[in-house]
Amino acid sequence: MQLKPSIIFLFMLSVAACQPKPETTDNEPQAAPESSAYAEGSFGDDLSFLHQYHDNLIVLKSSDEATQVAVAPNYQGRVMTSTAGGLSGKSFGWMNRELIASGKFQEHFNAFGGEDRFWLGPEGGQFSIFFAEGTDFTFENWYTPAPIDTDPFEVADSASNKVSFTKDINIKNYSGTAFNLKVNRTIALLDSQQVAESLGIQLPDSVHQVAFSSENIISNTGKETWTKEKGLLSIWILGMFQPSANTTVVIPFKLGISNTSVPILNDTYFGKVPEDRLIVADSIIYFKGDGTYRSKIGVPPQRAKPVMGSYDANNKILTIVHCTLPQNNYDYVNSMWEIQDQPYGGDAINAYNDGPLEEGGQLGPFYELESSSPAAALAPEESMAHVQTTFHFTGSEAGLNAIAEKVLGVGIEKISTIFMP
């Protein structure tokens, strides 16, 4: 199918043009809903919890309040969770309630959760921004930089269906290269017409949806051009979702490419993924998202398509993630934890399944759908943008099947049974 990434950019402009400029924001702090009024796992319950620890929480919502998105400025303008059914509807994002409630920061990484968080790459290698110069690539030396982990983002503008953030960042990579950059990040709620247009589908009456886009722009505010020789950054957007025993990640990929030596995927991030958790059939990758086995896969830009998704057969939730994917740009940062022969031979699309760590304990459980921009070779004052859009659909299986077949190229029956013996 032919997706329409330009629709997302046009949407960002049309929202601003069509809305009157309010004298005060529509997203001033609101009273938290009573948690006792909503069931565990509902958006109202999660919203009540978040309000206890975030007095500046922003909630984007449709006019009928059926579709809502909770955004946390203190967590880098992160989308924490969303719903297609109002306060009583299911909450789609995974959140680490224990960590949020503790009010404390972890040493290496704060897995607060959230459906769309802003990160920068690369994670590993000689140009890593997660390892200090000269250290070994081990967990003890791995530290998530504060600007993408614990620092808040500043709210630049806000309306009922859109909020924009900004952040100035100074950071240094493993090779000693310093980067000065500005981040502009905008989260926007899409309506049903924009959902249908952006995915090229007709929304069945039997299906409910919520969708939001995050437009992320980095600008070189320093005096030096960023070069491949000294290391480049990339925009990296990650979404954490709630797993189930029957959740399957679905990633379509390109078969007919000119360079057939390009692998379909990298499945060795945390050791090779077992065959009973990863299946490649025709032009689709199937990957278990059950939150019980730590594993990660990636698809190189030559093979990637600008779409991926998952289907939770237990709860009948179809999730689609769409991202910008520039054509004929194959320089993507490499995040493998090693000195690399190909530091720009990284992946455009990734999926992660959480599971027990070797030393015991577990971050989640959750699973992640991730996308990255190309490596940003920016001169002073130049910018790069990356947009990731997340869609959740619930409702009749027939309706969900029609969407999955159109967007992912496979129906929900096959997705649901692909890992069955």
Side-chain angles (χ1 to χ4, degrees), residues 25-49:
T25 176
D26 291 326
N27 282 316
E28 291 176 342
Q30 308 166 34
E34 292 287 342
S35 60
S36 59
Y38 299 98
E40 182 179 350
S42 69
F43 184 77
D45 187 57
D46 276 350
L47 198 60
S48 176
F49 170 80

mmCIF file with all atom_site columns, all heavy atoms in Angstrom, residues 25-49:
data_model
loop_
_atom_site.group_PDB
_atom_site.id
_atom_site.type_symbol
_atom_site.label_atom_id
_atom_site.label_alt_id
_atom_site.label_comp_id
_atom_site.label_asym_id
_atom_site.label_entity_id
_atom_site.label_seq_id
_atom_site.pdbx_PDB_ins_code
_atom_site.Cartn_x
_atom_site.Cartn_y
_atom_site.Cartn_z
_atom_site.occupancy
_atom_site.B_iso_or_equiv
_atom_site.pdbx_formal_charge
_atom_site.auth_seq_id
_atom_site.auth_comp_id
_atom_site.auth_asym_id
_atom_site.auth_atom_id
_atom_site.pdbx_PDB_model_num
ATOM 1   N N   . THR A 1 25 ? -4.185  29.092 27.759 1.00 0.00 ? 25 THR A N   1
ATOM 2   C CA  . THR A 1 25 ? -4.121  27.747 27.202 1.00 0.00 ? 25 THR A CA  1
ATOM 3   C C   . THR A 1 25 ? -5.345  26.932 27.586 1.00 0.00 ? 25 THR A C   1
ATOM 4   O O   . THR A 1 25 ? -5.927  27.117 28.648 1.00 0.00 ? 25 THR A O   1
ATOM 5   C CB  . THR A 1 25 ? -2.861  27.027 27.697 1.00 0.00 ? 25 THR A CB  1
ATOM 6   O OG1 . THR A 1 25 ? -2.890  25.688 27.209 1.00 0.00 ? 25 THR A OG1 1
ATOM 7   C CG2 . THR A 1 25 ? -2.791  26.974 29.212 1.00 0.00 ? 25 THR A CG2 1
ATOM 8   N N   . ASP A 1 26 ? -5.727  26.030 26.695 1.00 0.00 ? 26 ASP A N   1
ATOM 9   C CA  . ASP A 1 26 ? -6.807  25.090 27.002 1.00 0.00 ? 26 ASP A CA  1
ATOM 10  C C   . ASP A 1 26 ? -6.312  23.961 27.890 1.00 0.00 ? 26 ASP A C   1
ATOM 11  O O   . ASP A 1 26 ? -7.086  23.122 28.306 1.00 0.00 ? 26 ASP A O   1
ATOM 12  C CB  . ASP A 1 26 ? -7.360  24.487 25.703 1.00 0.00 ? 26 ASP A CB  1
ATOM 13  C CG  . ASP A 1 26 ? -8.110  25.510 24.875 1.00 0.00 ? 26 ASP A CG  1
ATOM 14  O OD1 . ASP A 1 26 ? -8.749  26.385 25.477 1.00 0.00 ? 26 ASP A OD1 1
ATOM 15  O OD2 . ASP A 1 26 ? -8.038  25.440 23.637 1.00 0.00 ? 26 ASP A OD2 1
ATOM 16  N N   . ASN A 1 27 ? -5.008  23.946 28.137 1.00 0.00 ? 27 ASN A N   1
ATOM 17  C CA  . ASN A 1 27 ? -4.426  22.835 28.875 1.00 0.00 ? 27 ASN A CA  1
ATOM 18  C C   . ASN A 1 27 ? -3.840  23.275 30.211 1.00 0.00 ? 27 ASN A C   1
ATOM 19  O O   . ASN A 1 27 ? -2.807  22.786 30.639 1.00 0.00 ? 27 ASN A O   1
ATOM 20  C CB  . ASN A 1 27 ? -3.342  22.158 28.026 1.00 0.00 ? 27 ASN A CB  1
ATOM 21  C CG  . ASN A 1 27 ? -3.956  21.258 26.980 1.00 0.00 ? 27 ASN A CG  1
ATOM 22  O OD1 . ASN A 1 27 ? -4.875  20.515 27.284 1.00 0.00 ? 27 ASN A OD1 1
ATOM 23  N ND2 . ASN A 1 27 ? -3.471  21.349 25.765 1.00 0.00 ? 27 ASN A ND2 1
ATOM 24  N N   . GLU A 1 28 ? -4.480  24.227 30.847 1.00 0.00 ? 28 GLU A N   1
ATOM 25  C CA  . GLU A 1 28 ? -4.074  24.582 32.193 1.00 0.00 ? 28 GLU A CA  1
ATOM 26  C C   . GLU A 1 28 ? -4.392  23.408 33.117 1.00 0.00 ? 28 GLU A C   1
ATOM 27  O O   . GLU A 1 28 ? -5.254  22.581 32.811 1.00 0.00 ? 28 GLU A O   1
ATOM 28  C CB  . GLU A 1 28 ? -4.796  25.849 32.642 1.00 0.00 ? 28 GLU A CB  1
ATOM 29  C CG  . GLU A 1 28 ? -4.321  27.081 31.858 1.00 0.00 ? 28 GLU A CG  1
ATOM 30  C CD  . GLU A 1 28 ? -5.097  28.328 32.232 1.00 0.00 ? 28 GLU A CD  1
ATOM 31  O OE1 . GLU A 1 28 ? -6.182  28.170 32.818 1.00 0.00 ? 28 GLU A OE1 1
ATOM 32  O OE2 . GLU A 1 28 ? -4.619  29.427 31.944 1.00 0.00 ? 28 GLU A OE2 1
ATOM 33  N N   . PRO A 1 29 ? -3.669  23.298 34.250 1.00 0.00 ? 29 PRO A N   1
ATOM 34  C CA  . PRO A 1 29 ? -3.887  22.147 35.145 1.00 0.00 ? 29 PRO A CA  1
ATOM 35  C C   . PRO A 1 29 ? -5.371  21.918 35.458 1.00 0.00 ? 29 PRO A C   1
ATOM 36  O O   . PRO A 1 29 ? -6.114  22.845 35.732 1.00 0.00 ? 29 PRO A O   1
ATOM 37  C CB  . PRO A 1 29 ? -3.099  22.548 36.396 1.00 0.00 ? 29 PRO A CB  1
ATOM 38  C CG  . PRO A 1 29 ? -2.021  23.434 35.880 1.00 0.00 ? 29 PRO A CG  1
ATOM 39  C CD  . PRO A 1 29 ? -2.642  24.207 34.747 1.00 0.00 ? 29 PRO A CD  1
ATOM 40  N N   . GLN A 1 30 ? -5.784  20.670 35.380 1.00 0.00 ? 30 GLN A N   1
ATOM 41  C CA  . GLN A 1 30 ? -7.173  20.294 35.618 1.00 0.00 ? 30 GLN A CA  1
ATOM 42  C C   . GLN A 1 30 ? -7.271  19.431 36.864 1.00 0.00 ? 30 GLN A C   1
ATOM 43  O O   . GLN A 1 30 ? -6.300  18.827 37.295 1.00 0.00 ? 30 GLN A O   1
ATOM 44  C CB  . GLN A 1 30 ? -7.711  19.507 34.418 1.00 0.00 ? 30 GLN A CB  1
ATOM 45  C CG  . GLN A 1 30 ? -7.502  20.198 33.083 1.00 0.00 ? 30 GLN A CG  1
ATOM 46  C CD  . GLN A 1 30 ? -7.736  19.250 31.929 1.00 0.00 ? 30 GLN A CD  1
ATOM 47  O OE1 . GLN A 1 30 ? -8.585  18.376 31.998 1.00 0.00 ? 30 GLN A OE1 1
ATOM 48  N NE2 . GLN A 1 30 ? -6.986  19.417 30.859 1.00 0.00 ? 30 GLN A NE2 1
ATOM 49  N N   . ALA A 1 31 ? -8.462  19.387 37.409 1.00 0.00 ? 31 ALA A N   1
ATOM 50  C CA  . ALA A 1 31 ? -8.677  18.511 38.561 1.00 0.00 ? 31 ALA A CA  1
ATOM 51  C C   . ALA A 1 31 ? -8.547  17.062 38.133 1.00 0.00 ? 31 ALA A C   1
ATOM 52  O O   . ALA A 1 31 ? -9.023  16.666 37.075 1.00 0.00 ? 31 ALA A O   1
ATOM 53  C CB  . ALA A 1 31 ? -10.063 18.768 39.150 1.00 0.00 ? 31 ALA A CB  1
ATOM 54  N N   . ALA A 1 32 ? -7.875  16.270 38.955 1.00 0.00 ? 32 ALA A N   1
ATOM 55  C CA  . ALA A 1 32 ? -7.681  14.853 38.631 1.00 0.00 ? 32 ALA A CA  1
ATOM 56  C C   . ALA A 1 32 ? -8.985  14.096 38.851 1.00 0.00 ? 32 ALA A C   1
ATOM 57  O O   . ALA A 1 32 ? -9.728  14.376 39.790 1.00 0.00 ? 32 ALA A O   1
ATOM 58  C CB  . ALA A 1 32 ? -6.589  14.267 39.511 1.00 0.00 ? 32 ALA A CB  1
ATOM 59  N N   . PRO A 1 33 ? -9.281  13.135 37.991 1.00 0.00 ? 33 PRO A N   1
ATOM 60  C CA  . PRO A 1 33 ? -10.468 12.297 38.231 1.00 0.00 ? 33 PRO A CA  1
ATOM 61  C C   . PRO A 1 33 ? -10.269 11.436 39.464 1.00 0.00 ? 33 PRO A C   1
ATOM 62  O O   . PRO A 1 33 ? -9.145  11.099 39.831 1.00 0.00 ? 33 PRO A O   1
ATOM 63  C CB  . PRO A 1 33 ? -10.550 11.443 36.966 1.00 0.00 ? 33 PRO A CB  1
ATOM 64  C CG  . PRO A 1 33 ? -9.154  11.393 36.443 1.00 0.00 ? 33 PRO A CG  1
ATOM 65  C CD  . PRO A 1 33 ? -8.540  12.725 36.793 1.00 0.00 ? 33 PRO A CD  1
ATOM 66  N N   . GLU A 1 34 ? -11.353 11.103 40.121 1.00 0.00 ? 34 GLU A N   1
ATOM 67  C CA  . GLU A 1 34 ? -11.286 10.214 41.271 1.00 0.00 ? 34 GLU A CA  1
ATOM 68  C C   . GLU A 1 34 ? -10.926 8.811  40.801 1.00 0.00 ? 34 GLU A C   1
ATOM 69  O O   . GLU A 1 34 ? -11.650 8.209  40.008 1.00 0.00 ? 34 GLU A O   1
ATOM 70  C CB  . GLU A 1 34 ? -12.630 10.193 42.010 1.00 0.00 ? 34 GLU A CB  1
ATOM 71  C CG  . GLU A 1 34 ? -12.974 11.498 42.709 1.00 0.00 ? 34 GLU A CG  1
ATOM 72  C CD  . GLU A 1 34 ? -12.124 11.717 43.948 1.00 0.00 ? 34 GLU A CD  1
ATOM 73  O OE1 . GLU A 1 34 ? -11.541 10.739 44.450 1.00 0.00 ? 34 GLU A OE1 1
ATOM 74  O OE2 . GLU A 1 34 ? -12.047 12.870 44.411 1.00 0.00 ? 34 GLU A OE2 1
ATOM 75  N N   . SER A 1 35 ? -9.803  8.282  41.281 1.00 0.00 ? 35 SER A N   1
ATOM 76  C CA  . SER A 1 35 ? -9.344  6.983  40.793 1.00 0.00 ? 35 SER A CA  1
ATOM 77  C C   . SER A 1 35 ? -10.326 5.875  41.137 1.00 0.00 ? 35 SER A C   1
ATOM 78  O O   . SER A 1 35 ? -10.465 4.901  40.400 1.00 0.00 ? 35 SER A O   1
ATOM 79  C CB  . SER A 1 35 ? -7.964  6.655  41.376 1.00 0.00 ? 35 SER A CB  1
ATOM 80  O OG  . SER A 1 35 ? -8.015  6.612  42.794 1.00 0.00 ? 35 SER A OG  1
ATOM 81  N N   . SER A 1 36 ? -11.032 6.007  42.278 1.00 0.00 ? 36 SER A N   1
ATOM 82  C CA  . SER A 1 36 ? -11.950 4.955  42.688 1.00 0.00 ? 36 SER A CA  1
ATOM 83  C C   . SER A 1 36 ? -13.136 4.812  41.743 1.00 0.00 ? 36 SER A C   1
ATOM 84  O O   . SER A 1 36 ? -13.833 3.809  41.754 1.00 0.00 ? 36 SER A O   1
ATOM 85  C CB  . SER A 1 36 ? -12.467 5.247  44.111 1.00 0.00 ? 36 SER A CB  1
ATOM 86  O OG  . SER A 1 36 ? -13.126 6.498  44.151 1.00 0.00 ? 36 SER A OG  1
ATOM 87  N N   . ALA A 1 37 ? -13.346 5.835  40.901 1.00 0.00 ? 37 ALA A N   1
ATOM 88  C CA  . ALA A 1 37 ? -14.478 5.807  39.988 1.00 0.00 ? 37 ALA A CA  1
ATOM 89  C C   . ALA A 1 37 ? -14.184 5.022  38.723 1.00 0.00 ? 37 ALA A C   1
ATOM 90  O O   . ALA A 1 37 ? -15.100 4.755  37.934 1.00 0.00 ? 37 ALA A O   1
ATOM 91  C CB  . ALA A 1 37 ? -14.890 7.235  39.621 1.00 0.00 ? 37 ALA A CB  1
ATOM 92  N N   . TYR A 1 38 ? -12.921 4.638  38.522 1.00 0.00 ? 38 TYR A N   1
ATOM 93  C CA  . TYR A 1 38 ? -12.537 3.999  37.273 1.00 0.00 ? 38 TYR A CA  1
ATOM 94  C C   . TYR A 1 38 ? -11.793 2.696  37.539 1.00 0.00 ? 38 TYR A C   1
ATOM 95  O O   . TYR A 1 38 ? -11.025 2.582  38.495 1.00 0.00 ? 38 TYR A O   1
ATOM 96  C CB  . TYR A 1 38 ? -11.675 4.946  36.435 1.00 0.00 ? 38 TYR A CB  1
ATOM 97  C CG  . TYR A 1 38 ? -12.425 6.200  36.085 1.00 0.00 ? 38 TYR A CG  1
ATOM 98  C CD1 . TYR A 1 38 ? -12.247 7.370  36.824 1.00 0.00 ? 38 TYR A CD1 1
ATOM 99  C CD2 . TYR A 1 38 ? -13.352 6.207  35.045 1.00 0.00 ? 38 TYR A CD2 1
ATOM 100 C CE1 . TYR A 1 38 ? -12.960 8.518  36.517 1.00 0.00 ? 38 TYR A CE1 1
ATOM 101 C CE2 . TYR A 1 38 ? -14.073 7.350  34.736 1.00 0.00 ? 38 TYR A CE2 1
ATOM 102 C CZ  . TYR A 1 38 ? -13.864 8.504  35.469 1.00 0.00 ? 38 TYR A CZ  1
ATOM 103 O OH  . TYR A 1 38 ? -14.587 9.627  35.172 1.00 0.00 ? 38 TYR A OH  1
ATOM 104 N N   . ALA A 1 39 ? -12.018 1.749  36.670 1.00 0.00 ? 39 ALA A N   1
ATOM 105 C CA  . ALA A 1 39 ? -11.435 0.423  36.840 1.00 0.00 ? 39 ALA A CA  1
ATOM 106 C C   . ALA A 1 39 ? -9.934  0.447  36.600 1.00 0.00 ? 39 ALA A C   1
ATOM 107 O O   . ALA A 1 39 ? -9.408  1.295  35.878 1.00 0.00 ? 39 ALA A O   1
ATOM 108 C CB  . ALA A 1 39 ? -12.104 -0.552 35.866 1.00 0.00 ? 39 ALA A CB  1
ATOM 109 N N   . GLU A 1 40 ? -9.247  -0.515 37.207 1.00 0.00 ? 40 GLU A N   1
ATOM 110 C CA  . GLU A 1 40 ? -7.820  -0.667 36.959 1.00 0.00 ? 40 GLU A CA  1
ATOM 111 C C   . GLU A 1 40 ? -7.598  -0.927 35.476 1.00 0.00 ? 40 GLU A C   1
ATOM 112 O O   . GLU A 1 40 ? -8.302  -1.713 34.852 1.00 0.00 ? 40 GLU A O   1
ATOM 113 C CB  . GLU A 1 40 ? -7.263  -1.828 37.779 1.00 0.00 ? 40 GLU A CB  1
ATOM 114 C CG  . GLU A 1 40 ? -5.769  -2.039 37.633 1.00 0.00 ? 40 GLU A CG  1
ATOM 115 C CD  . GLU A 1 40 ? -5.269  -3.188 38.489 1.00 0.00 ? 40 GLU A CD  1
ATOM 116 O OE1 . GLU A 1 40 ? -6.047  -3.684 39.326 1.00 0.00 ? 40 GLU A OE1 1
ATOM 117 O OE2 . GLU A 1 40 ? -4.100  -3.590 38.298 1.00 0.00 ? 40 GLU A OE2 1
ATOM 118 N N   . GLY A 1 41 ? -6.609  -0.247 34.897 1.00 0.00 ? 41 GLY A N   1
ATOM 119 C CA  . GLY A 1 41 ? -6.327  -0.392 33.480 1.00 0.00 ? 41 GLY A CA  1
ATOM 120 C C   . GLY A 1 41 ? -7.049  0.602  32.608 1.00 0.00 ? 41 GLY A C   1
ATOM 121 O O   . GLY A 1 41 ? -6.829  0.648  31.398 1.00 0.00 ? 41 GLY A O   1
ATOM 122 N N   . SER A 1 42 ? -7.919  1.414  33.214 1.00 0.00 ? 42 SER A N   1
ATOM 123 C CA  . SER A 1 42 ? -8.638  2.433  32.450 1.00 0.00 ? 42 SER A CA  1
ATOM 124 C C   . SER A 1 42 ? -7.819  3.716  32.362 1.00 0.00 ? 42 SER A C   1
ATOM 125 O O   . SER A 1 42 ? -6.911  3.960  33.164 1.00 0.00 ? 42 SER A O   1
ATOM 126 C CB  . SER A 1 42 ? -9.992  2.738  33.097 1.00 0.00 ? 42 SER A CB  1
ATOM 127 O OG  . SER A 1 42 ? -9.801  3.406  34.347 1.00 0.00 ? 42 SER A OG  1
ATOM 128 N N   . PHE A 1 43 ? -8.158  4.557  31.403 1.00 0.00 ? 43 PHE A N   1
ATOM 129 C CA  . PHE A 1 43 ? -7.470  5.835  31.245 1.00 0.00 ? 43 PHE A CA  1
ATOM 130 C C   . PHE A 1 43 ? -7.717  6.729  32.460 1.00 0.00 ? 43 PHE A C   1
ATOM 131 O O   . PHE A 1 43 ? -6.804  7.416  32.934 1.00 0.00 ? 43 PHE A O   1
ATOM 132 C CB  . PHE A 1 43 ? -7.950  6.520  29.965 1.00 0.00 ? 43 PHE A CB  1
ATOM 133 C CG  . PHE A 1 43 ? -7.235  7.807  29.664 1.00 0.00 ? 43 PHE A CG  1
ATOM 134 C CD1 . PHE A 1 43 ? -5.953  7.803  29.130 1.00 0.00 ? 43 PHE A CD1 1
ATOM 135 C CD2 . PHE A 1 43 ? -7.848  9.024  29.885 1.00 0.00 ? 43 PHE A CD2 1
ATOM 136 C CE1 . PHE A 1 43 ? -5.292  8.983  28.837 1.00 0.00 ? 43 PHE A CE1 1
ATOM 137 C CE2 . PHE A 1 43 ? -7.204  10.219 29.591 1.00 0.00 ? 43 PHE A CE2 1
ATOM 138 C CZ  . PHE A 1 43 ? -5.917  10.199 29.063 1.00 0.00 ? 43 PHE A CZ  1
ATOM 139 N N   . GLY A 1 44 ? -8.962  6.719  32.978 1.00 0.00 ? 44 GLY A N   1
ATOM 140 C CA  . GLY A 1 44 ? -9.264  7.541  34.151 1.00 0.00 ? 44 GLY A CA  1
ATOM 141 C C   . GLY A 1 44 ? -8.421  7.166  35.349 1.00 0.00 ? 44 GLY A C   1
ATOM 142 O O   . GLY A 1 44 ? -7.955  8.027  36.100 1.00 0.00 ? 44 GLY A O   1
ATOM 143 N N   . ASP A 1 45 ? -8.201  5.866  35.536 1.00 0.00 ? 45 ASP A N   1
ATOM 144 C CA  . ASP A 1 45 ? -7.377  5.407  36.649 1.00 0.00 ? 45 ASP A CA  1
ATOM 145 C C   . ASP A 1 45 ? -5.929  5.850  36.474 1.00 0.00 ? 45 ASP A C   1
ATOM 146 O O   . ASP A 1 45 ? -5.298  6.340  37.418 1.00 0.00 ? 45 ASP A O   1
ATOM 147 C CB  . ASP A 1 45 ? -7.471  3.887  36.752 1.00 0.00 ? 45 ASP A CB  1
ATOM 148 C CG  . ASP A 1 45 ? -6.777  3.341  37.994 1.00 0.00 ? 45 ASP A CG  1
ATOM 149 O OD1 . ASP A 1 45 ? -7.125  3.759  39.106 1.00 0.00 ? 45 ASP A OD1 1
ATOM 150 O OD2 . ASP A 1 45 ? -5.868  2.495  37.827 1.00 0.00 ? 45 ASP A OD2 1
ATOM 151 N N   . ASP A 1 46 ? -5.398  5.693  35.266 1.00 0.00 ? 46 ASP A N   1
ATOM 152 C CA  . ASP A 1 46 ? -4.026  6.125  35.009 1.00 0.00 ? 46 ASP A CA  1
ATOM 153 C C   . ASP A 1 46 ? -3.882  7.639  35.126 1.00 0.00 ? 46 ASP A C   1
ATOM 154 O O   . ASP A 1 46 ? -2.881  8.150  35.634 1.00 0.00 ? 46 ASP A O   1
ATOM 155 C CB  . ASP A 1 46 ? -3.576  5.676  33.611 1.00 0.00 ? 46 ASP A CB  1
ATOM 156 C CG  . ASP A 1 46 ? -3.060  4.246  33.597 1.00 0.00 ? 46 ASP A CG  1
ATOM 157 O OD1 . ASP A 1 46 ? -2.879  3.675  34.701 1.00 0.00 ? 46 ASP A OD1 1
ATOM 158 O OD2 . ASP A 1 46 ? -2.851  3.697  32.501 1.00 0.00 ? 46 ASP A OD2 1
ATOM 159 N N   . LEU A 1 47 ? -4.879  8.368  34.647 1.00 0.00 ? 47 LEU A N   1
ATOM 160 C CA  . LEU A 1 47 ? -4.832  9.827  34.712 1.00 0.00 ? 47 LEU A CA  1
ATOM 161 C C   . LEU A 1 47 ? -4.837  10.307 36.164 1.00 0.00 ? 47 LEU A C   1
ATOM 162 O O   . LEU A 1 47 ? -4.093  11.223 36.540 1.00 0.00 ? 47 LEU A O   1
ATOM 163 C CB  . LEU A 1 47 ? -6.014  10.408 33.947 1.00 0.00 ? 47 LEU A CB  1
ATOM 164 C CG  . LEU A 1 47 ? -5.912  11.880 33.530 1.00 0.00 ? 47 LEU A CG  1
ATOM 165 C CD1 . LEU A 1 47 ? -4.714  12.094 32.629 1.00 0.00 ? 47 LEU A CD1 1
ATOM 166 C CD2 . LEU A 1 47 ? -7.199  12.304 32.817 1.00 0.00 ? 47 LEU A CD2 1
ATOM 167 N N   . SER A 1 48 ? -5.669  9.693  36.980 1.00 0.00 ? 48 SER A N   1
ATOM 168 C CA  . SER A 1 48 ? -5.704  10.037 38.395 1.00 0.00 ? 48 SER A CA  1
ATOM 169 C C   . SER A 1 48 ? -4.343  9.800  39.050 1.00 0.00 ? 48 SER A C   1
ATOM 170 O O   . SER A 1 48 ? -3.861  10.622 39.827 1.00 0.00 ? 48 SER A O   1
ATOM 171 C CB  . SER A 1 48 ? -6.780  9.220  39.099 1.00 0.00 ? 48 SER A CB  1
ATOM 172 O OG  . SER A 1 48 ? -6.780  9.466  40.489 1.00 0.00 ? 48 SER A OG  1
ATOM 173 N N   . PHE A 1 49 ? -3.710  8.678  38.701 1.00 0.00 ? 49 PHE A N   1
ATOM 174 C CA  . PHE A 1 49 ? -2.388  8.373  39.238 1.00 0.00 ? 49 PHE A CA  1
ATOM 175 C C   . PHE A 1 49 ? -1.367  9.413  38.800 1.00 0.00 ? 49 PHE A C   1
ATOM 176 O O   . PHE A 1 49 ? -0.594  9.932  39.623 1.00 0.00 ? 49 PHE A O   1
ATOM 177 C CB  . PHE A 1 49 ? -1.960  6.978  38.791 1.00 0.00 ? 49 PHE A CB  1
ATOM 178 C CG  . PHE A 1 49 ? -0.526  6.667  39.088 1.00 0.00 ? 49 PHE A CG  1
ATOM 179 C CD1 . PHE A 1 49 ? -0.143  6.277  40.362 1.00 0.00 ? 49 PHE A CD1 1
ATOM 180 C CD2 . PHE A 1 49 ? 0.443   6.795  38.102 1.00 0.00 ? 49 PHE A CD2 1
ATOM 181 C CE1 . PHE A 1 49 ? 1.199   6.011  40.650 1.00 0.00 ? 49 PHE A CE1 1
ATOM 182 C CE2 . PHE A 1 49 ? 1.773   6.530  38.371 1.00 0.00 ? 49 PHE A CE2 1
ATOM 183 C CZ  . PHE A 1 49 ? 2.147   6.136  39.647 1.00 0.00 ? 49 PHE A CZ  1
#
